[in-house]
Amino acid sequence: MTPGNNGASTPEDDDPFGYLYADGQANGAQPPSGGYGYPNSVNRVRPVGTRQYGAPQQHQGTQTAAFGQAAPPQQGVYGQPNAHYAAPETFPGGGGGSHTGAQQSGHGGGGRRGPNTKGLLIGAVAVVAAVVIGIAVAMTSSGSDDDKGGEAAGGDPTAGQSQTTEPSASASDGAEEEVELPGVDAKTLRLSPGVTTASDVKGAEADGGVYVTGFNQVGAKVTWTVNGIEKAGKYSVYLGYSVPGKDGTASLTVNGKRSTAPVSLKNWANASEGDYEKGWTKTYSWVELNKGTNTIELSCEQGNQCDALIDRVWLAAGWQK
């Protein structure tokens, strides 16, 4: 035996990993075909320095392992596409995962959306409109209640009502534009028997200081025929008179219809008893006149206190207060 010859093969040849080294490869060492009972343990081993990272593997597909079992497919090299993997963006519907897809399907593919500002604006406008309508209704109701309260307290007087307070120059309730309405002095009135005119008592405002006397007896009348009324409606009949320091009353008839309310001949001048000269004042009654000609009659009836002097009669548009 030649010295140094240990048999058919050297110890290097017995080294199961000798093929991994350069001298082992030079001596023809080959990787084992089995692998000491560990399937695929040797088939995956490569000599040092032979594997190139980023390059495709030499063995693709299924390899036969020990005991006749089929080895699973080798994984792809790091950094290289894998045939069994698909990126999310390659799925139907674009580059989103299941969560992104759910968002897109829920919002029509538009992704997340902000708050519904249009709906909020419409709601705000509706609230403002409701508030404005509520305020308008409240104001209207209040005005209606006030009007009802005024009617309950007094309301519009009936035609023929006479004054209960001292007359003023202001007009209201149906008063129209200032127009020239007719008026007469005492000497132009039509007088009933027993009623006459005089001018002894000072203070009368009629032309020449003339006034009607003898009116203080039942049945006495003074009549005024009014012409030229251009519009039917509400008017106030004014009467200039004097009482001797005490209140009086008379009756009023318009176009043949007597008023249920007496004409008030109150001592507004606060004259002393018997003093006609200091008792000159005026009063009014509310009437309804027709267009054209109307007849206004002042009379002393049963129950009236007619001790008064009359100096003039005139009209005013509307019901004066």
Side-chain angles (χ1 to χ4, degrees):
M1 179 179 293
T2 304
N5 186 356
N6 296 326
S9 61
T10 62
E12 292 84 11
D13 294 334
D14 295 333
D15 186 356
F17 300 99
Y19 70 94
L20 298 175
Y21 306 103
D23 55 349
Q25 294 177 9
N27 293 328
Q30 297 294 326
S33 59
Y36 305 103
Y38 297 96
N40 301 324
S41 61
V42 177
N43 289 340
R44 297 183 183 181
V45 180
R46 290 179 176 81
V48 175
T50 61
R51 179 157 184 162
Q52 298 296 323
Y53 289 93
Q57 293 185 7
Q58 297 176 356
H59 301 281
Q60 296 291 340
T62 305
Q63 297 179 351
T64 303
F67 308 106
Q69 295 180 352
Q74 294 289 329
Q75 295 183 350
V77 179
Y78 178 79
Q80 297 297 323
N82 191 313
H84 300 284
Y85 171 80
E89 57 268 20
T90 63
F91 292 152
S98 59
H99 178 67
T100 305
Q103 290 183 344
Q104 292 177 347
S105 62
H107 296 285
R112 296 182 59 87
R113 297 176 60 186
N116 190 351
T117 55
K118 183 176 181 181
L120 294 177
L121 178 61
I122 294 174
V125 172
V127 170
V128 173
V131 172
V132 172
I133 293 172
I135 293 174
V137 171
M139 294 178 65
T140 303
S141 300
S142 176
S144 300
D145 294 340
D146 291 342
D147 293 341
K148 292 179 181 179
E151 293 176 2
D156 288 344
T158 58
Q161 179 172 336
S162 182
Q163 72 177 49
T164 56
T165 59
E166 186 173 5
S168 63
S170 62
S172 64
D173 192 16
E176 301 177 4
E177 297 180 1
E178 289 292 333
V179 294
E180 190 69 25
L181 292 174
V184 293
D185 290 336
K187 59 185 178 181
T188 61
L189 293 171
R190 187 169 74 248
L191 307 178
S192 64
V195 180
T196 188
T197 60
S199 57
D200 298 337
V201 178
K202 304 300 181 181
E205 297 186 23
D207 184 27
V210 177
Y211 54 87
V212 173
T213 186
F215 189 70
N216 56 347
Q217 54 184 320
V218 174
K221 298 179 182 179
V222 294
T223 304
W224 177 30
T225 301
V226 186
N227 298 311
I229 300 299
E230 296 182 355
K231 182 180 179 180
K234 298 177 181 179
Y235 293 85
S236 295
V237 178
Y238 278 86
L239 177 69
Y241 67 96
S242 175
V243 289
K246 59 182 180 179
D247 297 338
T249 57
S251 296
L252 180 68
T253 302
V254 178
N255 296 325
K257 183 178 180 180
R258 181 171 295 175
S259 171
T260 58
V263 178
S264 175
L265 302 174
K266 190 174 178 64
N267 181 24
W268 294 116
N270 295 319
S272 300
E273 185 175 356
D275 189 357
Y276 284 100
E277 188 172 329
K278 300 294 183 181
W280 290 104
T281 185
K282 62 183 177 180
T283 188
Y284 65 84
S285 297
W286 291 338
V287 298
E288 297 272 359
L289 298 181
N290 302 323
K291 181 179 179 179
T293 301
N294 294 265
T295 301
I296 299 174
E297 180 183 275
L298 187 69
S299 62
C300 183
E301 305 294 336
Q302 290 289 346
N304 294 145
Q305 302 294 326
C306 308
D307 192 359
L309 306 177
I310 301 170
D311 68 341
R312 53 200 179 107
V313 184
W314 70 98
L315 291 174
W319 287 353
Q320 304 289 326
K321 291 183 180 179

